[in-house]
Amino acid sequence: MMSNELPFWQGSPPMALLDILEFPDPRLRTRAVPITIFDAALSRLIDDMFETMYAAPGIGLAASQVDVHRQLIVMDCSNDRSDPLVFINPEILSRENVGVMEEGCLSVPGIFDEVERAQRVRVRAKDRDGKAFECELDGIRAVCLQHEMDHLDGKLFVDYLSTLKRDRIRKKLEKERRDRPAKPDSAEVSAGAALGR
Ligand code: NI
């Protein structure tokens, strides 16, 4: 049978790495709004967020971190990219087993500290097609989801630390950014543009 696939140059453009906002960028404090339109632009953003997260490398990324203030999270807590999860407009239905785990964040590079959170959650969300689902997550997946949901509320894991620690982290990151060579403009893609904004 003949393939009806388009030649590669007529298909989708290649995926793009998105620019990740870093603490203390005030845009990370924006509250995300629910997603109501499930279209090709959303699907493209999800694919770009996965590529950006895997390249970083990270195990979770909220749309807020790429300056798109919509309620969208991608996650993969496996070692081999075998557990990609998408949560749109997520709500936590129940929390259990509070414990402490060390967290890091792509928006707070190189910083790790302990945060107390539920180690088991039940969540309701929509998938990339807008279909509602519920699932239970535990361990690192439960912690990761809560960390990413905080981003959607404009909150960062360093907010759980003391003011003294947070100030020290802010100064360290500001210094590192000043010392870092500037990236060429062509390597940066605006995620907002992907959603036609
Ligand atoms: Ni984070």
Side-chain angles (χ1 to χ4, degrees), residues 118-137:
Q119 308 289 303
R120 174 185 283 262
V121 294
R122 184 154 188 89
V123 58
R124 179 194 291 149
K126 287 186 171 175
D127 69 13
R128 70 162 78 207
D129 302 315
K131 194 164 163 274
F133 67 93
E134 285 186 23
C135 66
E136 232 159 71
L137 300 174

Side-chain angles (χ1 to χ4, degrees), residues 11 28 66 69 72 77 82 94 121 130 140 152 155 180:
L28 286 167
V66 293
H69 302 285
L72 163 64
C77 297
S82 60
S94 64
V121 294
I140 182 85
L152 303 182
K155 197 165 179 185
R180 195 188 293 168

Side-chain angles (χ1 to χ4, degrees), residues 68-141:
V68 175
H69 302 285
R70 312 288 173 91
Q71 294 177 10
L72 163 64
I73 288 165
V74 300
M75 270 172 49
D76 188 339
C77 297
S78 72
N79 294 322
D80 56 359
R81 305 188 178 191
S82 60
D83 190 25
L85 300 171
V86 175
F87 297 92
I88 294 170
N89 307 342
E91 289 168 74
I92 291 191
L93 304 175
S94 64
R95 290 181 159 86
E96 277 175 66
N97 299 350
V98 172
V100 168
M101 216 180 258
E102 185 169 79
E103 297 187 20
C105 179
L106 296 177
S107 294
V108 193
I111 306 292
F112 299 88
D113 215 319
E114 292 186 332
V115 178
E116 191 179 85
R117 298 188 196 268
Q119 308 289 303
R120 174 185 283 262
V121 294
R122 184 154 188 89
V123 58
R124 179 194 291 149
K126 287 186 171 175
D127 69 13
R128 70 162 78 207
D129 302 315
K131 194 164 163 274
F133 67 93
E134 285 186 23
C135 66
E136 232 159 71
L137 300 174
D138 33 32
I140 182 85
R141 291 155 95 230

